[in-house]
Amino acid sequence: MSQQLVKERVIKYLMEDLLVPQDMIDTDVPLAEFEDDAEGMLDVVVNVKDSEDYYAPVMIIRCMDEDVKLEGETVQKQIDFLEDVDNITMAGRLILTNGNEMMYADWTGEEYNTEASLPTYDQMVKEFFEMEEKMKELEAEHHHEEGCGCGHNHEHNEDHECGCNHEDGGCCKDKH
């Protein structure tokens, strides 16, 4: 079975067994869509619409030809690629399959070898929004200051805007 046939089988499985809506499945997605200079192609991406109506990946699937055994150096290269992809996309769920065998890992560190253990689309959506909420809570608790390493622009200008998005002025209110 060719890689394309494996991909078609995976998409059918996603829609029929995991109940993923067809419009939430993308195929042949350039990795450069997530990071400018990234190279490579994502075979199948399962998305969720986030709270701001943007598509966010929640599962990345790499399809191999049926005759490729999921073992040894070949598999290690694919796993390394998927881990790099996850660091870029933050999808949190990775699958490598040849149509007959499957390797699955998720953000909890769990590894599963059975299809029965894969979460349904509703479960992926629920976990995505739970994680998004936790991130908002952590952001609200973070005490921003110059050099804190959070990635925000903490230039304190006349408009009292530091990039932290604090409604009360956050790290700026005591500096002006």
Side-chain angles (χ1 to χ4, degrees):
M1 182 181 328
S2 73
Q3 181 182 3
Q4 184 59 37
L5 290 175
V6 170
K7 194 182 312 180
E8 290 170 11
R9 227 167 97 188
V10 165
I11 292 167
K12 182 178 178 187
Y13 170 77
L14 290 170
M15 292 186 331
E16 292 178 2
D17 294 337
L18 299 184
L19 308 175
V20 178
Q22 186 173 4
D23 63 337
M24 291 294 139
I25 300 172
D26 289 326
T27 58
D28 302 321
V29 178
L31 194 50
E33 282 193 19
F34 298 97
E35 187 173 274
D36 288 337
D37 294 331
E39 293 182 15
M41 189 72 67
L42 307 177
D43 295 321
V44 181
V45 178
V46 175
N47 297 296
V48 167
K49 271 193 178 180
D50 69 10
S51 58
E52 296 176 4
D53 243 13
Y54 290 105
Y55 287 90
V58 292
M59 182 182 282
I60 304 292
I61 303 167
R62 183 76 167 185
C63 300
M64 310 291 293
D65 285 345
E66 181 181 42
D67 60 344
V68 175
K69 299 280 183 211
L70 295 187
E71 58 188 41
E73 189 177 318
T74 302
V75 167
Q76 191 56 52
K77 283 183 181 179
Q78 296 302 321
I79 290 171
D80 291 346
F81 172 76
L82 285 170
E83 287 175 353
D84 290 343
V85 166
D86 189 50
N87 288 334
I88 294 169
T89 64
M90 304 302 287
R93 287 189 178 82
L94 311 169
I95 293 178
L96 178 62
T97 185
N98 64 7
N100 295 321
E101 299 174 278
M102 174 194 77
M103 297 177 81
Y104 169 72
D106 70 22
W107 54 272
T108 63
E110 299 279 337
E111 292 186 23
Y112 305 101
N113 292 320
T114 64
E115 292 177 6
S117 61
L118 291 174
T120 63
Y121 184 72
D122 286 345
Q123 183 66 31
M124 288 187 258
V125 170
K126 179 179 178 266
E127 290 174 1
F128 174 82
F129 282 106
E130 286 172 355
M131 196 56 125
E132 194 173 69
E133 191 58 38
K134 284 181 186 176
M135 294 304 293
K136 286 179 185 176
E137 290 171 11
L138 288 172
E139 177 69 21
E141 292 173 8
H142 180 72
H143 299 288
H144 294 281
E145 56 189 51
E146 285 188 67
C148 69
C150 71
H152 288 125
N153 174 9
H154 292 287
E155 292 179 20
H156 295 92
N157 58 35
E158 299 166 3
D159 298 326
H160 304 281
E161 294 176 9
C162 67
C164 302
N165 298 324
H166 287 289
E167 293 174 15
D168 65 354
C171 63
C172 295
K173 70 179 180 180
D174 296 329
K175 298 190 183 224
H176 298 286

